[in-house]
Amino acid sequence: MTRLTRFLILAVGMSALLPTARAQDILEFPPLTGEYQVGRTAYHLIDHDRKETFTTRPDDVRELMIIVYYPAAPSADDQSAPYLEGLRRECLSTGNRRIGPFDWDRIVSHAYTNVPVSDRRKAYPVLLFSPGFTTNPVFYTAMLEEITSHGYVVVALTHPYSTDAVAFSNGRVINLNASGTRLMTVLSSDPEYGEQIGDHTLDVWASDALFALDQLQAMNRDDPLLSGRMDLDHVGMFGHSFGGATSAEAASRDDRILAATNMDGAFFGTVDDTGLDQPFMFMASDHSWPKRDEDRFGMSEEDWNAMYDGVYTDLEKVCEHASNAYAFTLDGSSHGTYTDLALLATMGVNSWIFEPMFVGHINAVRAHQVITTYVVAFFDKHVRGLDVPLLDGPSIDYPEVTLDIDA
């Protein structure tokens, strides 16, 4: 079974979210547990030195949007930002998503738009985040806001042509096109070619991450909001699914990234051959729980286990040279547990994608708490350099976590 096979099986549900909310519901994510309130802003980045490979226009260069979450100091009169706003809401409210803007307005975000950065610290460490393939970063809002509340600037990347509905500040929108979706469809006809496409896409995504990091350095000099407020000597990266593979790949290319986390993503690119020197944490869903074939995407138990065996073989190669390596497994979780999907299901949003095969059996609020606690702990230790006993071994506070350590 190829890496692409494993990736497609893990990612298939993420590209077809079809929720509808009950009109009377107000949908609110769990309260933040960090000491900071959260601000949110966005930037349109243009890489004039890199040609766009997902279009045929010869003069097209690579562009992306980044959404920046940061420790904030809102005033008493400021209102928290909508879950979705502007063009992004319009795009994700139509087409294959089939959800109206009225429904989005019922989801309460914890972030405030463009408010001042908190003065409690001069500068905050930075974490880059890459989403799952085809998945807009908005569907990780609860996690990104919670991590930010613990004193990080979190920079969520979009990857045009393979992220759904990238809305630029100039009013242009880039949706998924054949260049992006062919990664999902080529498997049936030519798996080896599909894996080549996956490796190429990963190269683009990792380059997006490192270009964004370059731009953050410029912004830290002259941006009206963030100038001097980002500690770019202390940078980490994390991602989910294909974004998790991107996190590992980007870290392998650039030692400015001090530590990396892959949330349940199969590996592409070169990192499973070259290994990773930095501290690394792989956060796995619990592949042992499905008892029925339909909960394993129609796979037999033998094929299901073989798929995960392949992921862990690649993981061993990645971790072989890592200075500190952690393998985290959350009992009762599935691939979608790392997104907002399970939380949205508990808040009254209804969709077929909220079946256990996608979001797992674990309580969604508890899963959110556990995942964010371990992500913060990992970066507190390996980006901030703090003493974090939680990462020393099993914890009685988190009995649903298996943590294998290779220090």
Side-chain angles (χ1 to χ4, degrees):
M1 184 175 292
T2 67
R3 288 178 295 171
L4 183 62
T5 305
R6 297 193 298 270
F7 159 70
L8 290 177
I9 291 169
L10 292 172
V12 64
M14 298 302 297
S15 61
L17 178 64
L18 309 174
T20 55
R22 296 193 301 269
Q24 70 270 25
D25 286 337
I26 295 296
L27 312 179
E28 188 170 8
F29 290 119
L32 302 177
T33 66
E35 62 179 296
Y36 296 95
Q37 297 187 75
V38 175
R40 186 178 80 193
T41 191
Y43 296 89
H44 180 179
L45 306 182
I46 304 175
D47 188 350
H48 294 285
D49 295 326
R50 188 159 48 118
K51 293 187 64 174
E52 178 57 77
T53 60
F54 290 135
T55 68
T56 58
R57 296 186 294 272
D59 58 345
D60 211 0
V61 295
R62 185 68 172 167
E63 302 176 66
L64 58 149
M65 289 294 294
I66 58 172
I67 300 94
V68 180
Y69 298 82
Y70 56 90
S75 70
D77 296 330
D78 286 323
Q79 298 293 316
S80 59
Y83 185 68
L84 275 175
E85 58 187 337
L87 276 174
R88 189 165 54 154
R89 183 179 74 166
E90 180 181 339
C91 294
L92 292 175
S93 298
T94 58
N96 69 335
R97 299 283 175 173
R98 300 178 190 173
I99 181 170
F102 179 79
D103 299 319
W104 289 122
D105 291 342
R106 295 196 169 274
I107 302 176
V108 177
S109 167
H110 293 302
Y112 298 83
T113 302
N114 295 328
V115 299
V117 182
S118 172
D119 286 330
R120 294 189 193 180
R121 296 184 61 171
K122 179 180 179 181
Y124 298 90
V126 174
L127 302 178
L128 303 175
F129 173 77
S130 183
F133 188 78
T134 78
T135 308
N136 196 287
V138 70
F139 295 115
Y140 302 88
T141 294
M143 175 174 66
L144 301 182
E145 290 179 344
E146 170 63 15
I147 293 169
T148 301
S149 79
H150 289 269
Y152 287 94
V153 173
V154 178
V155 180
L157 306 168
T158 63
H159 302 282
Y161 302 103
S162 43
T163 294
D164 199 5
V166 178
F168 289 99
S169 54
N170 61 6
R172 188 162 55 95
V173 176
I174 294 178
N175 286 299
L176 294 171
N177 72 355
S179 299
T181 56
R182 64 179 175 171
L183 180 57
M184 305 287 280
T185 59
V186 75
L187 172 65
S188 60
S189 59
D190 192 339
E192 291 186 4
Y193 176 56
E195 191 153 324
Q196 292 176 17
I197 296 174
D199 287 343
H200 167 71
T201 303
L202 186 76
D203 177 63
V204 174
W205 282 36
S207 298
D208 288 346
L210 300 183
F211 170 68
L213 184 53
D214 291 339
Q215 295 305 296
L216 292 178
Q217 292 181 316
M219 291 161 54
N220 210 31
R221 293 191 298 268
D222 54 25
D223 184 75
L225 177 64
L226 294 175
S227 176
R229 309 314 307 275
M230 294 180 286
D231 179 0
L232 291 169
D233 290 327
H234 295 87
V235 176
M237 185 168 178
F238 65 117
H240 174 239
S241 194
F242 200 77
T246 301
S247 174
E249 183 73 16
S252 74
R253 298 182 185 186
D254 197 322
D255 59 11
R256 288 179 296 176
I257 299 173
L258 301 181
T261 295
N262 178 344
M263 296 174 165
D264 209 36
F267 292 95
F268 286 78
T270 61
V271 69
D272 59 347
D273 294 322
T274 62
L276 193 64
D277 293 331
Q278 297 98 315
F280 179 69
M281 181 165 66
F282 186 82
M283 305 184 76
S285 60
D286 177 11
H287 71 272
S288 65
W289 64 260
K291 305 302 180 185
R292 305 173 302 170
D293 286 351
E294 55 266 35
D295 283 344
R296 298 190 295 263
F297 305 94
M299 300 171 66
S300 69
E301 186 172 359
E302 181 180 2
D303 286 344
W304 176 267
N305 290 332
M307 176 184 71
Y308 275 94
D309 287 344
V311 173
Y312 286 117
T313 297
D314 289 343
L315 175 61
E316 290 175 359
K317 297 176 183 177
V318 173
C319 294
E320 184 176 355
H321 302 292
S323 56
N324 296 86
Y326 305 84
F328 163 108
T329 303
L330 180 58
D331 290 349
S333 64
S334 190
H335 196 58
T337 306
Y338 292 91
T339 72
D340 288 345
L341 299 184
L343 287 170
L344 290 172
T346 68
M347 291 155 46
V349 178
N350 301 303
S351 171
W352 65 268
I353 204 173
F354 299 149
E355 291 296 319
M357 71 174 76
F358 292 112
V359 298
H361 290 296
I362 187 172
N363 175 274
V365 174
R366 176 62 175 175
H368 169 74
Q369 176 193 10
V370 173
I371 290 168
T372 54
T373 295
Y374 274 83
V375 171
V376 170
F378 175 75
F379 289 119
D380 276 354
K381 181 176 179 67
H382 295 294
V383 170
R384 280 182 162 149
L386 302 179
D387 182 26
V388 183
L390 179 62
L391 297 182
D392 292 341
S395 170
I396 59 173
D397 295 326
Y398 302 98
E400 59 272 82
V401 171
T402 300
L403 187 67
D404 294 325
I405 304 169
D406 183 4

